[in-house]
Amino acid sequence: MNNAVIADKFEQLADLLELEGANAFRVRAYRNAARTIESLPEALETLVADDSRSLQDLPGIGKDLAEKIRVILETDELPQLAELKEKIPADVVRMLRIPGLGPKKVATLYRELKLTSLDKLKHAAEQGTIAEKKGFGNKTEQIILEGLDHLERSGVRMYLADAKPFVDGIAEELRKLKSVHQVAVAGSVRRLKETVGDFDLLVTAEDPAEAMDYLAEHAQVEKVLARGETKQRVRFKPLTPCITPDGNRMSMEMDLRVVPKESFGAALQYFTGSKEHNIVTRRMAKDRDLKLNEYGLFRGEEQLNAETEEEVYAALDLPWIPPELREDRREFEAIEAGGLPDLLELSDIRGDLHMHTTATDGTATIEEMIEGARERGLKYIAITDHSKRVMMANGLDADRLRAHWKEIQKIRKKYDDIEVLCGIECDILEDATMDLPDDVLAEAEWVIAVLHYGLKQPREKITERLLTAIRNPHVDIIGHPTGRLIGKRPGADVDYDTIFKAAADHGVMMEINAHPARVDLDDVRAAQAKDYGIPIVISTDAHSTGGFDKMVWGVYQARRAGLTKKDVANTKTAKQFLKMLK
Ligand code: DGT
Ligand code: CA
Ligand code: CA
């Protein structure tokens, strides 16, 4: 486990203790510990494993904190933190995300003014009751109202990778009900958007009540928020894992609609969205003297056949459009220009070119990773452990890297059904130099260049760093180009046109990192890279054999970018791919 994750748990614990009104000395101890841990040059895991050293030698880490660190390392959890999260209303924790409201102020709002929900907070700020409190004023009320507005607009969203299996599971359950004919997942989940604001489910059924009752009584459902004849909105119990930067579990809501069979296609088209796409389809309907809405497709009073989406699109003289492309970006343009792209499939992928082993921060050995890749039918992989700058992950210097490659070369001899490349994920340092010397990079069979540090540098500097890597003759690809972690850390400010132009000139590829929190490049940028003729590689960045299974989330992002098999380099056979590298 990463030191930053452990530090974050102590930071959260300090916040929640402060909300509870705990002793200031205790709160400060946890904050200091978080700072100490964050700035440690080595992984706590390594330190704990070393019997000759003790956690208590670290500044500010006493017996109690040392024990807590051990518990986190062993169980991934901190029981005190979990208990506090149960105790303090989730909305109060959310108040901490309002810029300008620190834990001290939130503690006063919660404990003295008894503002236990965002609604109550908003009401109080509007009524001016907060300004009367000592230490607060009109300015704070303004900050609160603006902050709440921001929270509302940014909303809570969930990674597609967490949302999709969950919603698909609910859909599967509904499919088993006697009166239910068809069940379809709609909305952003169907469009395979990287994050999801809520779930949308569409059902045709003889008896709408059965599906609605089933959902209302579902073990995962916390509350029915609204119910009509044919639609219902429910809130699920807080789901985990989730996307919020503070690591809290969160509640997702679902719209369920029951529609008649004759309008299923029209309703599915409507509720799949996006809103932008639907504005165009509605206008196209109007141009043809038709009316298209959630209830069906109409000419005057007459209801036309709209059982399927194909019929709806055909009425607009359009082919069926894959949901991933329905964003009014270029799907309509593409149809005009000759046709929609034949989107990439997961089964087209033959290689995985970004992964880690126990040499750095992976949990599987070289051999285990190779076996895992073979089990999944991969024909070629590149082992790309970290370079030395990533101290936290035990990054490799030149000597260790060369020894690691020797080991890979020895092990790969045993396999004749998979190609294994000696690679490296090399950091591009803050001063725009590479973390490893050229003569070392020259020996690599696959070099991924990445930004990990200094992501907040100004655009010019970031772009200069990426250009250095692109112009380096040994660099094959830029990995997770922006370094973003969705919902947790914004990506670097990149001048894409400059970068893509240089990459195209120098024959450097671009990665779509398939990790659900990254999916970086994103859909818009991957489409732009394709326009520049840059080959895309979709990689899992696996840190264990299970990590290989994340490929699908990268493939989905590629589909939203309109990428075909031909646009993605790791769809090539091993032979073709190796030839391309030369
Ligand atoms: P989300 O939930 O924020 O991840 O994104 P969506 O696209 O799932 O949005 P949602 O759940 O609000 O609505 C689902 C679809 O229903 C949306 O993509 C298009 C359609 N829809 C919802 N509200 C409206 C609306 O006011 N106008 C139009 N034209 N379509 C709407
Ligand atoms: Ca939705
Ligand atoms: Ca919705």
Side-chain angles (χ1 to χ4, degrees), residues 523-536:
D523 44 4
V524 173
R525 298 309 175 177
Q528 191 182 349
K530 170 181 168 164
D531 288 343
Y532 277 90
I534 299 169
I536 303 285

Side-chain angles (χ1 to χ4, degrees), residues 226-288:
R227 178 161 179 165
E229 291 275 293
T230 57
K231 61 183 174 189
Q232 178 172 266
R233 187 167 176 88
V234 300
R235 181 164 70 220
F236 290 101
K237 290 177 182 163
L239 300 172
T240 187
C242 70
I243 197 171
T244 56
D246 43 22
N248 290 308
R249 302 194 305 161
M250 64 190 209
S251 301
M252 292 293 286
E253 295 175 4
M254 177 185 269
D255 285 319
L256 172 71
R257 291 179 186 81
V258 190
V259 300
K261 192 161 151 263
E262 314 82 73
S263 54
F264 183 72
L268 183 56
Q269 198 279 330
Y270 181 91
F271 289 114
T272 296
S274 66
K275 276 178 196 145
E276 292 74 15
H277 175 90
N278 287 357
I279 288 170
V280 179
T281 51
R282 241 187 349 251
R283 198 192 59 222
M284 290 181 79
K286 221 166 156 198
D287 291 346
R288 288 162 178 75

Side-chain angles (χ1 to χ4, degrees), residues 187-188 196-200:
S188 49
V196 168
D198 76 353
F199 309 144
D200 302 277

